[in-house]
Amino acid sequence: MNKRNLMIGIIALGISLMCLIPASSAGFTPQNNALPDNFDFSDNYYTVYGGPDVSANIVGDNEFYRGDSVTLNINLMNKGLITGFRSEKDDDPIDVLDQKLQQQEMSYESQRTTAIGIVAILTSPDPNVEVKSGPQEAGSLAAGEQTTSPVMFNVEFSDNAPSGDYPLILSLYYGYQKNVQVSGDNETSLGVTNMDVGLWYDVGSQNVTIPVNVKKEAQFEVTNVSGQLVIGEEGMLHATYTNTGNEPVKDAIVRISAANPFSTTDDQAYLGDMDAGESSVAVFKLKVGDTAIEKPYAINSEIKYEDTKGHVSVSDNVKIKTQVSASSNSYAGGWMLPAGFVIAALVIGAIVLYIRRKPGKKPEE
């Protein structure tokens, strides 16, 4: 076997892969390599059909929660097959040398199904799922083989990702043996003398859909806040919680974190059972410190509940946005007339009406 021709084929394959895979890790379109100058089809006995067929699947669970950051482990397997072949020497006389060369060529042609130097790139068409990893190398796989260790990609799910299926696209690029030529001088008892083997490699690609799922779950949001909180005083805060997710909950309890300038001995409230879209009001007694400033504040809270499978879960942080006032006579967004001013205005109005009455006859008895 001529090692020089084999080495030229391997180098050409490496250059092709380097040209086709950009540094930015973006997708690309494979290009067919031109026929090598040293590849002479006059000694090509067969055209063989088929090639690598790489499949992929996630190892482990493919269901996640919104807001998760996970590592996907993806297993690759080559199911490549030789689907057929065509003889290129039907009209030529077949001598012993040709028979030996044909046998040699066919043995090399069987390697056509091997995927060489696999490079995997995972992308997400949906902005709610972001792939944080670039291209991953997976080595070479002969037909029937699978990766000894999975290729790994870091994936993040948006906090606002709706539940449902999200198909990820795994693009696979690899080299494979495109064709083989053999030639030799004579057939002897020791084999073919001066046998020369030329291997032509090309670049193949496949796209495999990797399905991942965002689980249904409860999600909470404060949809209304009422009550008056005054600097230096104790007041009641009413917060309406709505289950904006798509799963019901049982025995929901909300707990607030009363940080400065707030303090409380009443940091929990019972919300009860809440279907998707249903609301419940929590009431808290809060003391506002004397050093507080008249401005909006946000109070952290979280909800502990039982899901549909009986598991106890705790929600993400939910903020209660409220306003601290300097005086109980003030509105958060306006002002209030002092009571004395209102009374004075009424008295003045009555005097004006009395003065404007014209003198006249006494009313008849």
Side-chain angles (χ1 to χ4, degrees), residues 38-50:
N38 66 325
F39 200 97
D40 182 6
F41 272 100
S42 62
D43 295 322
N44 185 56
Y45 290 96
Y46 297 104
T47 295
V48 178
Y49 303 98

Side-chain angles (χ1 to χ4, degrees), residues 217-236:
E217 61 179 326
Q219 195 168 21
F220 299 93
E221 182 180 339
V222 173
T223 53
N224 186 55
V225 178
S226 62
Q228 191 172 36
L229 299 179
V230 179
I231 297 173
E233 297 182 9
E234 192 173 63
M236 306 301 292

Side-chain angles (χ1 to χ4, degrees), residues 182-234:
V182 293
S183 62
D185 292 340
N186 294 296
E187 192 277 331
T188 68
S189 59
L190 298 177
V192 177
T193 60
N194 295 324
M195 188 175 72
D196 194 14
V197 179
L199 303 177
W200 174 20
Y201 290 90
D202 206 345
V203 178
S205 67
Q206 291 178 241
N207 287 334
V208 182
T209 300
I210 303 294
V212 294
N213 179 271
V214 173
K215 296 179 181 180
K216 291 183 177 181
E217 61 179 326
Q219 195 168 21
F220 299 93
E221 182 180 339
V222 173
T223 53
N224 186 55
V225 178
S226 62
Q228 191 172 36
L229 299 179
V230 179
I231 297 173
E233 297 182 9
E234 192 173 63

